[in-house]
Amino acid sequence: MTPCEGWEPAAFKARVDEVLQQYVAREADRFAAVDPLLAPVAVQLEAAVAHGKRLRAAFCYWGWRAVGQPDSDALVRAAASMELVHAAAVTHDDLIDDSPLRHGRPTAHVALRTAVRGGPGHAGGGPGGRDGPGGSGSSGGSGVADAARSLAMLTGDLLMALAGDLFATSGLPVAYLTRARPLWLLMARELIAGECLEILRTGARPDVTQSLKVIRYKTAKYTVEQPLLIGGALAGAGPRLREGYSAYGLPLGEAFQLRDDLLGLFGAPRDTGKANADDLRGHRPTALLAETWRLAGDDERELLGGYLGRSDLGGDDVDAVREVMRGLKAPDRIEDMISARVGEALDTLHALDVPALAATALTALAHSAAVRPS
């Protein structure tokens, strides 16, 4: 998208993609130049930003434009750093959840197993026929898997560092960047708090209130609210507009994750790029599961309890859980929660004094974030 007064989501995405691909490719080359062994990790850095709708960058961009600021290539670079935060978060999240797929491709901790097997000390197994330190000698032994997980963790760490660098070197005036700096720490604190809460709630008795708190801190804030606030801070937004950004962003961010939970279990893997059974195998504290549990009777809870946390869940097992959820109308309840939150966000937006173009774009982004096709 060239600087203009039209909002073309595909063109904006292309601008962000170009920034990310050029920046990360350069940094990946510098990383790999340290030692040839690092090449597979460098590949994962680039893979981490190869896909995405770029919603977080878009919310940051419109947080800037809604203040009345013009289009800016430097601002697009700063907004693109939100996508590196996201890439870091999902690299860590996939690792914590032991998810095998994202966007239909192996996650970093899975893909990097090949790099570990091919490295020194792993050809043909480690000492005693083991797969390296801590290895079990089994197929894809634990030594290989543990080393690959460690590499993935460090990949996520580097992606977060790169996010800060891209933001700081975006080309925006230092005074603008200084206004937004405190929000970076807040975003990191709340994101990690949400991830910790999910870990601590995993396997616990499902509870809707607690699940919604996890959603708010793990996803809603860094997906919508914080990018908007950072864009607004860069542009010099006043207190009233910042309050409006939070009142719009929090419910919309929650709606985004509620939709994601529904798609995770009921969507087609070819569309979502994820395995349907992930949340059930992990016994994760999703609002969908919590709402199902709240509506369920003793017999249904006993049935559900037999599936949650099982690593050997198959397609028939997932179908059985879906049948229980549909029978209790839990997906319908989640749809109602999504609609209520989108409505709340849009009511807030329409009450804000922002340029018409920004209001139009933020309305479209609300639907794009929360009313996604299955």
Side-chain angles (χ1 to χ4, degrees):
M1 187 173 78
T2 55
C4 66
E5 289 305 304
W7 169 232
E8 296 292 341
F12 176 79
K13 179 182 181 301
R15 289 176 78 185
V16 174
D17 285 346
E18 183 178 9
V19 169
L20 289 171
Q21 288 162 8
Q22 291 183 359
Y23 175 80
V24 176
R26 183 176 68 250
E27 290 302 321
D29 286 345
R30 290 172 174 171
F31 183 77
V34 173
D35 192 288
L37 273 179
L38 297 174
V41 180
V43 168
Q44 290 307 308
L45 289 173
E46 296 192 73
V49 297
H51 302 279
K53 298 179 180 66
R54 311 312 185 198
L55 289 173
R56 292 159 187 84
F59 283 119
C60 183
Y61 177 85
W62 287 106
W64 163 275
R65 295 296 305 273
V67 181
Q69 292 279 15
D71 180 86
S72 159
D73 287 338
L75 188 280
V76 171
R77 285 178 58 82
S81 70
M82 300 293 101
E83 299 299 328
L84 283 170
V85 172
H86 177 55
V90 297
T91 299
H92 286 147
D93 194 50
D94 289 340
L95 176 61
I96 292 165
D97 293 341
D98 202 22
S99 298
L101 295 173
R102 183 168 290 272
H103 299 298
R105 297 172 180 270
T107 48
H109 66 279
V110 174
L112 285 166
R113 291 177 189 171
T114 301
V116 174
R117 289 194 190 98
H122 289 279
R130 297 163 69 86
D131 290 289
S136 66
S138 61
S139 177
S142 63
V144 168
D146 288 348
R149 293 174 67 85
S150 296
L151 290 174
M153 177 185 69
L154 294 168
T155 300
D157 293 346
L158 182 52
L159 285 164
M160 185 63 84
L162 294 178
D165 179 69
L166 179 58
F167 184 80
T169 61
S170 62
L172 289 171
V174 172
Y176 290 22
L177 297 172
T178 300
R179 289 196 295 251
R181 185 179 299 163
L183 292 173
W184 271 80
L185 177 57
L186 179 62
M187 176 170 60
R189 180 191 305 130
E190 292 181 334
L191 170 57
I192 293 171
E195 191 72 69
C196 289
L197 284 173
E198 183 180 60
I199 292 169
L200 294 168
R201 292 292 309 171
T202 291
R205 181 185 177 89
D207 179 277
V208 174
T209 300
Q210 293 301 322
S211 291
L212 290 174
K213 188 172 188 178
V214 170
I215 283 173
R216 171 165 288 208
Y217 282 90
K218 182 189 170 188
T219 303
K221 285 177 167 287
Y222 98 92
T223 297
V224 185
E225 184 198 24
Q226 291 294 354
L228 275 169
L229 288 172
I230 288 171
L234 290 170
R240 185 172 180 180
L241 185 55
R242 294 198 303 269
E243 290 172 4
Y245 283 173
S246 289
Y248 163 91
L250 281 173
L252 183 58
E254 290 178 1
F256 173 88
Q257 185 58 46
L258 289 169
R259 173 65 63 202
D260 208 56
D261 290 346
L262 271 180
L263 291 175
L265 188 57
F266 289 92
R270 66 178 178 275
D271 297 325
T272 65
K274 303 176 187 177
N276 286 132
D278 276 1
D279 289 341
L280 300 177
R281 289 191 184 114
H283 196 170
R284 295 174 195 156
T286 67
L288 174 60
L289 175 58
E291 185 65 12
T292 301
W293 194 266
R294 186 185 70 81
L295 296 168
D298 290 342
D299 290 345
E300 290 150 332
R301 287 184 177 183
E302 183 177 359
L303 179 64
L304 287 169
Y307 291 117
L308 297 176
R310 277 179 43 192
S311 61
D312 61 343
L313 286 181
D316 291 343
D317 300 320
V318 175
D319 286 341
V321 174
R322 288 191 188 112
E323 185 176 350
V324 171
M325 289 180 167
R326 289 192 183 104
L328 295 169
K329 299 191 181 303
D332 295 337
R333 287 281 300 129
I334 299 299
E335 289 286 1
D336 291 343
M337 293 165 71
I338 292 170
S339 296
R341 283 162 172 75
V342 173
E344 181 182 348
L346 292 178
D347 286 347
T348 296
L349 175 62
H350 296 154
L352 292 178
D353 182 17
V354 298
L357 178 62
T360 298
L362 288 169
T363 298
L365 281 169
H367 290 289
S368 178
V371 190
R372 290 172 281 165
S374 60

